[in-house]
Amino acid sequence: MAQKKDVGDAKETAVQKSDKDTAAEPVEKPANPQAAEAVDEAVRIYKEHPAYSQAKRMQEGYVDCSSYVWRCYAKAGIFFGQKEYAPTAAEAARWCQEKGVLQTISKEEGRDKTLQPGDLIFYTKRKGNNGRFLNIAHVSIYIGNGKMLHADGDSPAYGDPWYREAAAIGRPSE
């Protein structure tokens, strides 16, 4: 249902938004310009519906959790230590720790009420130990309004940031 319309010299596509698209729109605008750019990129990529693939994660049209958040922040000039290739979620968390922008979450509390749009939420492996930093196996990007975007075995999707046990919060643009 897209229709073309002229706006000045530029052409723009007007697309009727579904509930799924509007739910992914951040309500809170991040104060930090890099976080704002990362959140905007997360929503843009989400709307493209790239396929999930760990094997092809760095190829056009494919993502996994860590390549998804890496692409969001790469657009804002933050690469988690590697400009050519997305590190794992655990290595992105380690990078945040080295930069002093990682906050661990206590097991008793289980969640952080100080989330800001652009924050990364790092999740533990569901069962067992993967041998990685803080047993981290997944990452998402918080977009505000109690929602996050992530690629968890499927094309990027939005959801509740506390859908599984979180290990830490990173604020790479701090």
Side-chain angles (χ1 to χ4, degrees):
M1 275 202 188
Q3 62 183 167
K4 295 279 187 182
K5 66 178 184 175
D6 286 333
V7 180
D9 292 331
K11 291 201 178 197
E12 191 175 289
T13 302
V15 178
Q16 185 177 2
K17 293 181 179 181
S18 70
D19 289 341
K20 185 176 178 185
D21 288 338
T22 56
E25 302 264 347
V27 172
E28 309 163 52
K29 188 71 173 170
N32 181 293
Q34 287 178 304
E37 192 164 3
V39 168
D40 288 346
E41 185 69 359
V43 172
R44 186 193 69 72
I45 293 170
Y46 161 81
K47 290 178 179 180
E48 288 180 350
H49 305 291
Y52 182 89
S53 173
Q54 287 184 335
K56 297 179 181 179
R57 68 197 207 103
M58 295 306 293
Q59 295 177 24
E60 187 71 30
Y62 296 93
V63 293
D64 71 350
C65 69
S66 57
S67 68
Y68 180 54
V69 298
W70 180 85
R71 288 173 191 202
C72 298
Y73 266 100
K75 179 78 172 179
I78 297 174
F79 297 93
F80 308 121
Q82 297 186 36
K83 288 187 177 183
E84 301 81 27
Y85 200 81
T88 64
E91 288 307 308
R94 186 186 309 274
W95 180 91
C96 287
Q97 181 186 49
E98 290 169 359
K99 298 294 181 187
V101 296
L102 186 74
Q103 173 188 345
T104 56
I105 300 172
S106 73
K107 297 284 186 196
E108 296 78 39
E109 191 176 325
R111 58 177 64 193
D112 185 332
K113 299 192 183 347
T114 63
L115 277 177
Q116 295 179 17
D119 284 355
L120 300 181
I121 306 167
F122 296 99
Y123 301 91
T124 59
K125 186 172 186 320
R126 292 183 186 190
K127 292 182 182 177
N129 189 329
N130 63 9
R132 294 182 178 172
F133 180 69
L134 298 178
N135 199 32
I136 291 172
H138 185 61
V139 62
S140 71
I141 184 168
Y142 184 69
I143 61 167
N145 196 31
K147 298 287 184 200
M148 58 83 171
L149 282 167
H150 68 137
D152 191 7
D154 202 353
S155 185
Y158 69 94
D160 177 354
W162 312 114
Y163 83 112
R164 69 191 258 196
E165 186 176 346
I169 305 297
R171 191 164 291 153
S173 56
E174 192 167 72

Short mmCIF file of all heavy atoms in Angstrom, two decimals, residues 51-54 57 62-72 80 86-90 92 120-123 132 136-141 149-154 156 163-164:
data_model
loop_
_atom_site.label_atom_id
_atom_site.label_comp_id
_atom_site.label_asym_id
_atom_site.label_seq_id
_atom_site.Cartn_x
_atom_site.Cartn_y
_atom_site.Cartn_z
N ALA A 51 16.71 -11.22 7.35
CA ALA A 51 16.62 -12.60 7.82
C ALA A 51 17.63 -12.84 8.95
O ALA A 51 18.69 -12.21 9.00
CB ALA A 51 16.91 -13.56 6.67
N TYR A 52 17.29 -13.75 9.84
CA TYR A 52 18.21 -14.13 10.91
C TYR A 52 19.15 -15.22 10.40
O TYR A 52 18.72 -16.22 9.85
CB TYR A 52 17.44 -14.66 12.13
CG TYR A 52 18.36 -15.00 13.27
CD1 TYR A 52 18.70 -14.05 14.21
CD2 TYR A 52 18.90 -16.28 13.39
CE1 TYR A 52 19.55 -14.36 15.26
CE2 TYR A 52 19.75 -16.59 14.43
CZ TYR A 52 20.08 -15.63 15.35
OH TYR A 52 20.94 -15.93 16.38
N SER A 53 20.46 -15.01 10.60
CA SER A 53 21.44 -16.04 10.28
C SER A 53 22.74 -15.72 11.00
O SER A 53 23.32 -14.66 10.77
CB SER A 53 21.70 -16.10 8.77
OG SER A 53 22.78 -16.99 8.50
N GLN A 54 23.20 -16.64 11.83
CA GLN A 54 24.50 -16.44 12.44
C GLN A 54 25.61 -16.60 11.41
O GLN A 54 26.58 -15.85 11.42
CB GLN A 54 24.70 -17.40 13.61
CG GLN A 54 23.88 -17.01 14.81
CD GLN A 54 24.14 -17.89 16.01
OE1 GLN A 54 24.57 -19.03 15.90
NE2 GLN A 54 23.87 -17.35 17.19
N ARG A 57 25.60 -13.38 9.16
CA ARG A 57 25.26 -12.19 9.94
C ARG A 57 25.88 -10.88 9.48
O ARG A 57 25.33 -9.82 9.71
CB ARG A 57 25.59 -12.43 11.40
CG ARG A 57 27.07 -12.53 11.69
CD ARG A 57 27.33 -13.16 13.04
NE ARG A 57 28.57 -12.74 13.62
CZ ARG A 57 28.69 -11.85 14.58
NH1 ARG A 57 27.62 -11.29 15.10
NH2 ARG A 57 29.86 -11.51 15.04
N TYR A 62 21.00 -9.82 6.34
CA TYR A 62 21.03 -10.82 7.41
C TYR A 62 21.51 -10.18 8.71
O TYR A 62 22.33 -9.27 8.69
CB TYR A 62 21.98 -11.97 7.07
CG TYR A 62 21.55 -12.76 5.87
CD1 TYR A 62 22.02 -12.44 4.60
CD2 TYR A 62 20.65 -13.82 6.00
CE1 TYR A 62 21.63 -13.16 3.48
CE2 TYR A 62 20.25 -14.54 4.90
CZ TYR A 62 20.74 -14.20 3.64
OH TYR A 62 20.33 -14.92 2.55
N VAL A 63 21.02 -10.69 9.83
CA VAL A 63 21.47 -10.24 11.15
C VAL A 63 21.39 -11.40 12.13
O VAL A 63 20.68 -12.37 11.91
CB VAL A 63 20.61 -9.08 11.71
CG1 VAL A 63 20.78 -7.81 10.91
CG2 VAL A 63 19.16 -9.46 11.86
N ASP A 64 22.15 -11.27 13.20
CA ASP A 64 21.91 -12.02 14.43
C ASP A 64 21.90 -10.95 15.51
O ASP A 64 21.98 -9.75 15.20
CB ASP A 64 22.95 -13.13 14.65
CG ASP A 64 24.32 -12.64 15.01
OD1 ASP A 64 24.59 -11.41 14.92
OD2 ASP A 64 25.17 -13.46 15.37
N CYS A 65 21.79 -11.32 16.76
CA CYS A 65 21.63 -10.30 17.81
C CYS A 65 22.79 -9.31 17.86
O CYS A 65 22.58 -8.09 17.89
CB CYS A 65 21.39 -10.94 19.17
SG CYS A 65 22.80 -11.83 19.88
N SER A 66 24.00 -9.82 17.84
CA SER A 66 25.14 -8.91 18.01
C SER A 66 25.43 -8.09 16.76
O SER A 66 25.82 -6.93 16.85
CB SER A 66 26.38 -9.68 18.47
OG SER A 66 26.69 -10.72 17.57
N SER A 67 25.23 -8.66 15.58
CA SER A 67 25.45 -7.86 14.36
C SER A 67 24.37 -6.79 14.23
O SER A 67 24.62 -5.71 13.72
CB SER A 67 25.50 -8.74 13.12
OG SER A 67 24.26 -9.32 12.83
N TYR A 68 23.18 -7.08 14.73
CA TYR A 68 22.09 -6.09 14.70
C TYR A 68 22.45 -4.86 15.54
O TYR A 68 22.43 -3.73 15.04
CB TYR A 68 20.80 -6.75 15.19
CG TYR A 68 19.59 -5.84 15.21
CD1 TYR A 68 19.19 -5.15 14.07
CD2 TYR A 68 18.82 -5.70 16.35
CE1 TYR A 68 18.06 -4.34 14.08
CE2 TYR A 68 17.70 -4.91 16.36
CZ TYR A 68 17.32 -4.22 15.23
OH TYR A 68 16.20 -3.42 15.25
N VAL A 69 22.82 -5.06 16.80
CA VAL A 69 23.16 -3.90 17.64
C VAL A 69 24.46 -3.24 17.17
O VAL A 69 24.61 -2.03 17.26
CB VAL A 69 23.19 -4.23 19.15
CG1 VAL A 69 21.83 -4.71 19.63
CG2 VAL A 69 24.26 -5.20 19.51
N TRP A 70 25.39 -4.04 16.65
CA TRP A 70 26.64 -3.48 16.12
C TRP A 70 26.33 -2.53 14.97
O TRP A 70 26.88 -1.44 14.90
CB TRP A 70 27.57 -4.61 15.68
CG TRP A 70 28.88 -4.16 15.11
CD1 TRP A 70 30.01 -3.85 15.81
CD2 TRP A 70 29.21 -3.98 13.73
NE1 TRP A 70 31.03 -3.50 14.96
CE2 TRP A 70 30.55 -3.57 13.66
CE3 TRP A 70 28.50 -4.13 12.54
CZ2 TRP A 70 31.19 -3.30 12.46
CZ3 TRP A 70 29.12 -3.86 11.34
CH2 TRP A 70 30.47 -3.44 11.31
N ARG A 71 25.45 -2.94 14.05
CA ARG A 71 25.09 -2.08 12.91
C ARG A 71 24.42 -0.80 13.39
O ARG A 71 24.64 0.27 12.82
CB ARG A 71 24.17 -2.82 11.95
CG ARG A 71 24.91 -3.87 11.17
CD ARG A 71 23.98 -4.72 10.35
NE ARG A 71 24.74 -5.86 9.85
CZ ARG A 71 24.41 -6.56 8.81
NH1 ARG A 71 23.33 -6.28 8.13
NH2 ARG A 71 25.16 -7.57 8.43
N CYS A 72 23.59 -0.91 14.41
CA CYS A 72 22.92 0.28 14.95
C CYS A 72 23.94 1.28 15.47
O CYS A 72 23.87 2.47 15.16
CB CYS A 72 21.96 -0.12 16.07
SG CYS A 72 20.64 -1.21 15.52
N PHE A 80 32.30 -1.08 19.07
CA PHE A 80 32.61 -2.11 20.07
C PHE A 80 33.97 -2.74 19.80
O PHE A 80 34.16 -3.95 19.96
CB PHE A 80 31.52 -3.18 20.14
CG PHE A 80 30.14 -2.62 20.30
CD1 PHE A 80 29.15 -2.87 19.38
CD2 PHE A 80 29.83 -1.81 21.38
CE1 PHE A 80 27.89 -2.34 19.51
CE2 PHE A 80 28.56 -1.27 21.53
CZ PHE A 80 27.59 -1.54 20.59
N ALA A 86 31.22 -7.55 13.55
CA ALA A 86 30.54 -7.46 14.84
C ALA A 86 31.06 -8.51 15.81
O ALA A 86 31.11 -9.69 15.47
CB ALA A 86 29.04 -7.66 14.65
N PRO A 87 31.45 -8.09 17.01
CA PRO A 87 31.84 -9.08 18.02
C PRO A 87 30.60 -9.79 18.56
O PRO A 87 29.47 -9.37 18.32
CB PRO A 87 32.49 -8.22 19.11
CG PRO A 87 31.82 -6.90 18.98
CD PRO A 87 31.52 -6.72 17.51
N THR A 88 30.79 -10.85 19.32
CA THR A 88 29.67 -11.53 19.96
C THR A 88 29.04 -10.59 21.00
O THR A 88 29.64 -9.58 21.39
CB THR A 88 30.14 -12.80 20.68
OG1 THR A 88 31.02 -12.42 21.75
CG2 THR A 88 30.80 -13.79 19.74
N ALA A 89 27.86 -10.95 21.46
CA ALA A 89 27.20 -10.17 22.50
C ALA A 89 28.10 -10.08 23.74
O ALA A 89 28.23 -9.01 24.34
CB ALA A 89 25.86 -10.80 22.85
N ALA A 90 28.73 -11.18 24.09
CA ALA A 90 29.61 -11.20 25.27
C ALA A 90 30.80 -10.26 25.08
O ALA A 90 31.21 -9.56 26.02
CB ALA A 90 30.09 -12.62 25.54
N ALA A 92 30.87 -7.60 23.12
CA ALA A 92 30.35 -6.23 23.17
C ALA A 92 30.18 -5.79 24.63
O ALA A 92 30.48 -4.66 24.99
CB ALA A 92 29.03 -6.13 22.41
N LEU A 120 22.03 -0.97 25.81
CA LEU A 120 22.08 -2.37 25.41
C LEU A 120 21.75 -3.22 26.62
O LEU A 120 22.24 -2.96 27.72
CB LEU A 120 23.46 -2.73 24.88
CG LEU A 120 23.93 -1.93 23.66
CD1 LEU A 120 25.31 -2.41 23.22
CD2 LEU A 120 22.93 -2.01 22.53
N ILE A 121 20.94 -4.23 26.42
CA ILE A 121 20.61 -5.16 27.49
C ILE A 121 21.26 -6.49 27.12
O ILE A 121 20.99 -7.04 26.05
CB ILE A 121 19.09 -5.33 27.67
CG1 ILE A 121 18.44 -3.97 27.84
CG2 ILE A 121 18.79 -6.25 28.86
CD1 ILE A 121 16.93 -4.00 27.71
N PHE A 122 22.12 -6.97 28.00
CA PHE A 122 22.84 -8.23 27.78
C PHE A 122 22.17 -9.32 28.61
O PHE A 122 21.92 -9.13 29.79
CB PHE A 122 24.31 -8.08 28.17
CG PHE A 122 25.05 -7.08 27.32
CD1 PHE A 122 25.25 -5.79 27.77
CD2 PHE A 122 25.52 -7.44 26.06
CE1 PHE A 122 25.92 -4.87 26.98
CE2 PHE A 122 26.19 -6.53 25.28
CZ PHE A 122 26.40 -5.24 25.73
N TYR A 123 21.91 -10.45 27.97
CA TYR A 123 21.20 -11.55 28.60
C TYR A 123 22.11 -12.76 28.78
O TYR A 123 22.97 -13.04 27.95
CB TYR A 123 20.01 -11.97 27.73
CG TYR A 123 19.03 -10.85 27.48
CD1 TYR A 123 19.17 -10.02 26.37
CD2 TYR A 123 17.98 -10.60 28.35
CE1 TYR A 123 18.28 -8.98 26.14
CE2 TYR A 123 17.08 -9.56 28.13
CZ TYR A 123 17.25 -8.76 27.01
OH TYR A 123 16.37 -7.73 26.79
N ARG A 132 31.56 -17.72 28.10
CA ARG A 132 31.81 -16.35 27.64
C ARG A 132 31.69 -15.37 28.80
O ARG A 132 31.19 -15.71 29.87
CB ARG A 132 30.82 -15.98 26.53
CG ARG A 132 31.06 -16.79 25.27
CD ARG A 132 30.11 -16.37 24.18
NE ARG A 132 30.39 -17.13 22.96
CZ ARG A 132 29.63 -17.09 21.90
NH1 ARG A 132 28.54 -16.36 21.88
NH2 ARG A 132 29.95 -17.79 20.83
N ILE A 136 27.16 -14.33 28.96
CA ILE A 136 26.25 -13.60 28.07
C ILE A 136 26.09 -14.34 26.76
O ILE A 136 27.07 -14.78 26.15
CB ILE A 136 26.74 -12.15 27.85
CG1 ILE A 136 26.59 -11.38 29.16
CG2 ILE A 136 25.99 -11.48 26.70
CD1 ILE A 136 27.20 -10.01 29.17
N ALA A 137 24.82 -14.45 26.32
CA ALA A 137 24.51 -15.17 25.09
C ALA A 137 23.62 -14.37 24.13
O ALA A 137 23.36 -14.81 23.03
CB ALA A 137 23.81 -16.48 25.43
N HIS A 138 23.17 -13.18 24.55
CA HIS A 138 22.24 -12.41 23.71
C HIS A 138 22.30 -10.93 24.09
O HIS A 138 22.65 -10.59 25.22
CB HIS A 138 20.81 -12.95 23.91
CG HIS A 138 19.79 -12.33 23.02
ND1 HIS A 138 19.85 -12.42 21.65
CD2 HIS A 138 18.69 -11.60 23.30
CE1 HIS A 138 18.82 -11.77 21.13
NE2 HIS A 138 18.10 -11.28 22.11
N VAL A 139 21.94 -10.07 23.13
CA VAL A 139 21.91 -8.63 23.37
C VAL A 139 20.74 -8.01 22.62
O VAL A 139 20.35 -8.49 21.55
CB VAL A 139 23.25 -7.96 22.96
CG1 VAL A 139 23.53 -8.12 21.47
CG2 VAL A 139 23.30 -6.49 23.37
N SER A 140 20.15 -6.96 23.21
CA SER A 140 19.09 -6.20 22.57
C SER A 140 19.39 -4.72 22.75
O SER A 140 20.25 -4.34 23.55
CB SER A 140 17.73 -6.54 23.18
OG SER A 140 17.62 -6.03 24.49
N ILE A 141 18.65 -3.88 22.04
CA ILE A 141 18.78 -2.43 22.19
C ILE A 141 17.44 -1.88 22.68
O ILE A 141 16.39 -2.17 22.11
CB ILE A 141 19.26 -1.74 20.89
CG1 ILE A 141 19.48 -0.24 21.10
CG2 ILE A 141 18.32 -2.02 19.73
CD1 ILE A 141 20.22 0.45 19.97
N LEU A 149 14.38 -3.79 20.84
CA LEU A 149 14.46 -4.48 19.57
C LEU A 149 15.63 -5.45 19.64
O LEU A 149 16.67 -5.13 20.23
CB LEU A 149 14.68 -3.48 18.42
CG LEU A 149 13.43 -2.73 17.97
CD1 LEU A 149 13.81 -1.56 17.05
CD2 LEU A 149 12.46 -3.65 17.27
N HIS A 150 15.45 -6.62 19.03
CA HIS A 150 16.51 -7.63 19.05
C HIS A 150 16.27 -8.65 17.95
O HIS A 150 15.19 -8.71 17.36
CB HIS A 150 16.57 -8.32 20.42
CG HIS A 150 15.37 -9.17 20.71
ND1 HIS A 150 15.47 -10.41 21.27
CD2 HIS A 150 14.03 -8.98 20.51
CE1 HIS A 150 14.26 -10.94 21.43
NE2 HIS A 150 13.38 -10.09 20.97
N ALA A 151 17.28 -9.44 17.68
CA ALA A 151 17.17 -10.57 16.74
C ALA A 151 17.50 -11.83 17.53
O ALA A 151 18.65 -12.09 17.84
CB ALA A 151 18.15 -10.38 15.58
N ASP A 152 16.48 -12.56 17.89
CA ASP A 152 16.63 -13.74 18.74
C ASP A 152 16.13 -14.97 17.99
O ASP A 152 15.05 -15.48 18.26
CB ASP A 152 15.87 -13.55 20.05
CG ASP A 152 16.19 -14.63 21.08
OD1 ASP A 152 17.10 -15.44 20.84
OD2 ASP A 152 15.53 -14.65 22.13
N GLY A 153 16.90 -15.40 16.98
CA GLY A 153 16.52 -16.57 16.21
C GLY A 153 15.54 -16.28 15.10
O GLY A 153 15.03 -17.19 14.46
N ASP A 154 15.25 -15.00 14.87
CA ASP A 154 14.30 -14.60 13.85
C ASP A 154 14.67 -13.19 13.41
O ASP A 154 15.55 -12.56 13.98
CB ASP A 154 12.88 -14.62 14.44
CG ASP A 154 11.79 -14.73 13.38
OD1 ASP A 154 12.12 -14.66 12.17
OD2 ASP A 154 10.63 -14.88 13.75
N PRO A 156 14.56 -9.21 13.17
CA PRO A 156 14.41 -8.33 14.33
C PRO A 156 12.95 -8.16 14.75
O PRO A 156 12.06 -8.05 13.91
CB PRO A 156 15.02 -7.01 13.86
CG PRO A 156 16.05 -7.44 12.87
CD PRO A 156 15.43 -8.61 12.16
N TYR A 163 12.15 -10.05 28.99
CA TYR A 163 11.56 -11.32 28.58
C TYR A 163 12.40 -12.52 29.02
O TYR A 163 11.90 -13.64 29.01
CB TYR A 163 11.32 -11.35 27.07
CG TYR A 163 12.52 -11.72 26.23
CD1 TYR A 163 12.54 -12.92 25.53
CD2 TYR A 163 13.63 -10.89 26.14
CE1 TYR A 163 13.62 -13.28 24.75
CE2 TYR A 163 14.71 -11.24 25.36
CZ TYR A 163 14.70 -12.43 24.67
OH TYR A 163 15.78 -12.79 23.90
N ARG A 164 13.64 -12.28 29.36
CA ARG A 164 14.49 -13.34 29.93
C ARG A 164 15.50 -12.69 30.86
O ARG A 164 15.56 -11.47 30.97
CB ARG A 164 15.14 -14.18 28.83
CG ARG A 164 16.20 -13.46 28.01
CD ARG A 164 16.59 -14.25 26.78
NE ARG A 164 17.87 -14.94 26.95
CZ ARG A 164 18.55 -15.42 25.93
NH1 ARG A 164 18.10 -15.33 24.70
NH2 ARG A 164 19.70 -16.02 26.13
#
